[in-house]
Amino acid sequence: SRFPASTTKVMTALLLIERCTPDEVLMAPDSVVTVTGASLHLVPGETMTARNVLWGLMLRSANDACVMVAQHISGSVEKFSELMNQRAKELGCVNSNFHNPNGLNDELHTTCAYDLALITREAMKHEAFRQVVKTQRHEIERSFSMQDRWLKSKNKFLSQDQSADGVKTGWTVPAGKCFIGSATRNGEQLIS
């Protein structure tokens, strides 16, 4: 088992897609102001549609948006982590223990390459997810802030290889550089 950093967000995105309609409105809880790292700089009470939150999760890698998702779906980060672990087991994951929705470093938050591939394969079944993870730049709509509307993927693979179609980068000091990649060649898609 390893620390997955922001590759965690594939599971958060999957649950967002499975549990919310694209136009469903999520509200940022008070706790978003305490979330560190990559961020949409959400303000407590700010609202966004699930569609726009998905872009924020996967392109900006917004840790605060992950907390908004957890709060909306489960009422707390703790309860959402339980849901993440339950969904992981359903997908056949054998070596995952999710303890937060964003991958910020936590000794109890671990997974493995095999499990991330299973989670990503499930997420890639959804057109909305596939669209987001293959996009390099996108502008989102926000109810409050006019800042942080243009999002840019950190996945350099997308601009370097025409067959690339995802998925997610991640980095923390303890985790190091993490990457889930996807490419489709000759009609066959491979996830690494």
Side-chain angles (χ1 to χ4, degrees):
S1 268
R2 300 286 300 268
F3 299 133
S6 289
T7 59
T8 300
K9 291 169 180 136
V10 175
M11 176 59 93
T12 301
L14 174 63
L15 289 169
L16 176 66
I17 290 165
E18 289 178 342
R19 300 281 176 132
C20 301
T21 62
D23 294 319
E24 194 166 327
V25 176
L26 285 69
M27 184 183 287
D30 292 346
S31 58
V32 292
V33 296
T34 65
V35 183
T36 59
S39 165
L40 282 173
H41 303 104
L42 292 167
V43 176
E46 181 174 359
T47 58
M48 288 177 75
T49 63
R51 177 185 288 110
N52 283 299
V53 173
L54 180 63
W55 286 101
L57 293 185
M58 300 311 292
L59 259 63
R60 173 60 57 83
S61 201
N63 294 323
D64 53 354
C66 293
V67 171
M68 180 163 70
V69 171
Q71 191 74 34
H72 180 80
I73 292 175
S74 299
S76 71
V77 164
E78 293 73 26
K79 285 270 192 297
F80 188 74
S81 299
E82 289 171 18
L83 182 63
M84 294 171 82
N85 288 317
Q86 176 193 322
R87 191 71 183 99
K89 283 192 178 67
E90 288 168 6
L91 293 173
C93 296
V94 294
N95 212 6
S96 291
N97 183 56
F98 293 108
H99 207 237
N100 67 58
N102 46 37
L104 282 167
N105 200 62
D106 177 333
E107 289 297 318
L108 299 175
H109 185 85
T110 56
T111 187
C112 65
Y114 177 77
D115 289 2
L116 287 175
L118 291 177
I119 295 162
T120 302
R121 182 175 66 180
E122 188 67 21
M124 288 295 247
K125 292 177 182 176
H126 298 274
E127 173 60 34
F129 185 86
R130 290 196 307 274
Q131 178 65 40
V132 169
V133 299
K134 73 178 182 187
T135 301
Q136 294 180 58
R137 268 172 64 83
H138 182 78
E139 186 180 16
I140 57 169
E141 294 172 24
R142 300 185 65 161
S143 70
F144 181 77
S145 175
M146 295 300 109
Q147 305 290 316
D148 297 300
R149 288 177 57 163
W150 275 102
L151 310 180
K152 188 174 186 294
S153 175
K154 288 194 172 77
N155 183 356
K156 294 186 178 110
F157 190 35
L158 294 173
S159 59
Q160 293 169 358
D161 185 332
Q162 287 193 320
S163 69
D165 47 25
V167 171
K168 188 74 190 81
T169 61
W171 181 84
T172 63
V173 172
K177 293 178 180 176
C178 304
F179 182 64
I180 301 169
S182 173
T184 303
R185 296 175 190 168
N186 304 321
E188 186 173 29
Q189 184 181 32
L190 292 175
I191 294 166
S192 63

PDB file of all heavy atoms in Angstrom, residues 28-40:
ATOM      1  N   ALA A  28     -20.709  24.937  -0.473  1.00  0.00           N
ATOM      2  CA  ALA A  28     -19.454  24.831   0.269  1.00  0.00           C
ATOM      3  C   ALA A  28     -19.720  24.987   1.766  1.00  0.00           C
ATOM      4  O   ALA A  28     -20.300  25.991   2.181  1.00  0.00           O
ATOM      5  CB  ALA A  28     -18.472  25.889  -0.207  1.00  0.00           C
ATOM      6  N   PRO A  29     -19.293  24.002   2.582  1.00  0.00           N
ATOM      7  CA  PRO A  29     -19.462  24.129   4.026  1.00  0.00           C
ATOM      8  C   PRO A  29     -18.427  25.084   4.624  1.00  0.00           C
ATOM      9  O   PRO A  29     -17.448  25.457   3.965  1.00  0.00           O
ATOM     10  CB  PRO A  29     -19.236  22.695   4.521  1.00  0.00           C
ATOM     11  CG  PRO A  29     -18.296  22.098   3.526  1.00  0.00           C
ATOM     12  CD  PRO A  29     -18.642  22.735   2.202  1.00  0.00           C
ATOM     13  N   ASP A  30     -18.620  25.467   5.879  1.00  0.00           N
ATOM     14  CA  ASP A  30     -17.687  26.370   6.571  1.00  0.00           C
ATOM     15  C   ASP A  30     -16.258  25.829   6.575  1.00  0.00           C
ATOM     16  O   ASP A  30     -15.290  26.595   6.510  1.00  0.00           O
ATOM     17  CB  ASP A  30     -18.140  26.608   8.020  1.00  0.00           C
ATOM     18  CG  ASP A  30     -19.432  27.421   8.084  1.00  0.00           C
ATOM     19  OD1 ASP A  30     -19.810  28.018   7.059  1.00  0.00           O
ATOM     20  OD2 ASP A  30     -20.050  27.449   9.163  1.00  0.00           O
ATOM     21  N   SER A  31     -16.139  24.490   6.621  1.00  0.00           N
ATOM     22  CA  SER A  31     -14.817  23.865   6.760  1.00  0.00           C
ATOM     23  C   SER A  31     -13.925  24.031   5.524  1.00  0.00           C
ATOM     24  O   SER A  31     -12.726  23.758   5.604  1.00  0.00           O
ATOM     25  CB  SER A  31     -14.973  22.379   7.090  1.00  0.00           C
ATOM     26  OG  SER A  31     -15.713  21.720   6.078  1.00  0.00           O
ATOM     27  N   VAL A  32     -14.468  24.489   4.393  1.00  0.00           N
ATOM     28  CA  VAL A  32     -13.610  24.622   3.193  1.00  0.00           C
ATOM     29  C   VAL A  32     -12.453  25.596   3.416  1.00  0.00           C
ATOM     30  O   VAL A  32     -11.408  25.456   2.787  1.00  0.00           O
ATOM     31  CB  VAL A  32     -14.389  25.035   1.913  1.00  0.00           C
ATOM     32  CG1 VAL A  32     -15.311  23.918   1.455  1.00  0.00           C
ATOM     33  CG2 VAL A  32     -15.115  26.348   2.075  1.00  0.00           C
ATOM     34  N   VAL A  33     -12.633  26.551   4.303  1.00  0.00           N
ATOM     35  CA  VAL A  33     -11.571  27.548   4.522  1.00  0.00           C
ATOM     36  C   VAL A  33     -10.348  26.953   5.215  1.00  0.00           C
ATOM     37  O   VAL A  33      -9.265  27.544   5.172  1.00  0.00           O
ATOM     38  CB  VAL A  33     -12.078  28.778   5.317  1.00  0.00           C
ATOM     39  CG1 VAL A  33     -13.135  29.525   4.530  1.00  0.00           C
ATOM     40  CG2 VAL A  33     -12.587  28.377   6.682  1.00  0.00           C
ATOM     41  N   THR A  34     -10.486  25.783   5.819  1.00  0.00           N
ATOM     42  CA  THR A  34      -9.361  25.155   6.523  1.00  0.00           C
ATOM     43  C   THR A  34      -8.600  24.158   5.644  1.00  0.00           C
ATOM     44  O   THR A  34      -7.580  23.628   6.061  1.00  0.00           O
ATOM     45  CB  THR A  34      -9.847  24.414   7.784  1.00  0.00           C
ATOM     46  OG1 THR A  34     -10.683  23.314   7.379  1.00  0.00           O
ATOM     47  CG2 THR A  34     -10.626  25.341   8.700  1.00  0.00           C
ATOM     48  N   VAL A  35      -9.107  23.897   4.434  1.00  0.00           N
ATOM     49  CA  VAL A  35      -8.506  22.879   3.567  1.00  0.00           C
ATOM     50  C   VAL A  35      -7.273  23.451   2.867  1.00  0.00           C
ATOM     51  O   VAL A  35      -7.329  24.528   2.281  1.00  0.00           O
ATOM     52  CB  VAL A  35      -9.530  22.364   2.534  1.00  0.00           C
ATOM     53  CG1 VAL A  35      -8.907  21.254   1.683  1.00  0.00           C
ATOM     54  CG2 VAL A  35     -10.786  21.834   3.226  1.00  0.00           C
ATOM     55  N   THR A  36      -6.158  22.717   2.932  1.00  0.00           N
ATOM     56  CA  THR A  36      -4.892  23.187   2.354  1.00  0.00           C
ATOM     57  C   THR A  36      -4.676  22.623   0.949  1.00  0.00           C
ATOM     58  O   THR A  36      -5.446  21.788   0.475  1.00  0.00           O
ATOM     59  CB  THR A  36      -3.714  22.773   3.256  1.00  0.00           C
ATOM     60  OG1 THR A  36      -3.718  21.345   3.376  1.00  0.00           O
ATOM     61  CG2 THR A  36      -3.826  23.403   4.630  1.00  0.00           C
ATOM     62  N   GLY A  37      -3.609  23.082   0.316  1.00  0.00           N
ATOM     63  CA  GLY A  37      -3.218  22.549  -0.992  1.00  0.00           C
ATOM     64  C   GLY A  37      -4.026  23.137  -2.136  1.00  0.00           C
ATOM     65  O   GLY A  37      -4.631  24.201  -2.013  1.00  0.00           O
ATOM     66  N   ALA A  38      -4.035  22.425  -3.270  1.00  0.00           N
ATOM     67  CA  ALA A  38      -4.734  22.877  -4.480  1.00  0.00           C
ATOM     68  C   ALA A  38      -6.198  23.159  -4.157  1.00  0.00           C
ATOM     69  O   ALA A  38      -6.829  22.416  -3.404  1.00  0.00           O
ATOM     70  CB  ALA A  38      -4.632  21.823  -5.574  1.00  0.00           C
ATOM     71  N   SER A  39      -6.721  24.243  -4.736  1.00  0.00           N
ATOM     72  CA  SER A  39      -8.002  24.745  -4.250  1.00  0.00           C
ATOM     73  C   SER A  39      -8.727  25.561  -5.312  1.00  0.00           C
ATOM     74  O   SER A  39      -8.106  26.165  -6.189  1.00  0.00           O
ATOM     75  CB  SER A  39      -7.695  25.616  -3.020  1.00  0.00           C
ATOM     76  OG  SER A  39      -8.760  26.422  -2.665  1.00  0.00           O
ATOM     77  N   LEU A  40     -10.062  25.601  -5.208  1.00  0.00           N
ATOM     78  CA  LEU A  40     -10.867  26.545  -5.988  1.00  0.00           C
ATOM     79  C   LEU A  40     -11.090  27.826  -5.192  1.00  0.00           C
ATOM     80  O   LEU A  40     -11.789  28.721  -5.635  1.00  0.00           O
ATOM     81  CB  LEU A  40     -12.225  25.924  -6.343  1.00  0.00           C
ATOM     82  CG  LEU A  40     -12.254  24.924  -7.493  1.00  0.00           C
ATOM     83  CD1 LEU A  40     -13.630  24.282  -7.595  1.00  0.00           C
ATOM     84  CD2 LEU A  40     -11.869  25.562  -8.815  1.00  0.00           C
TER      85      LEU A  40
END
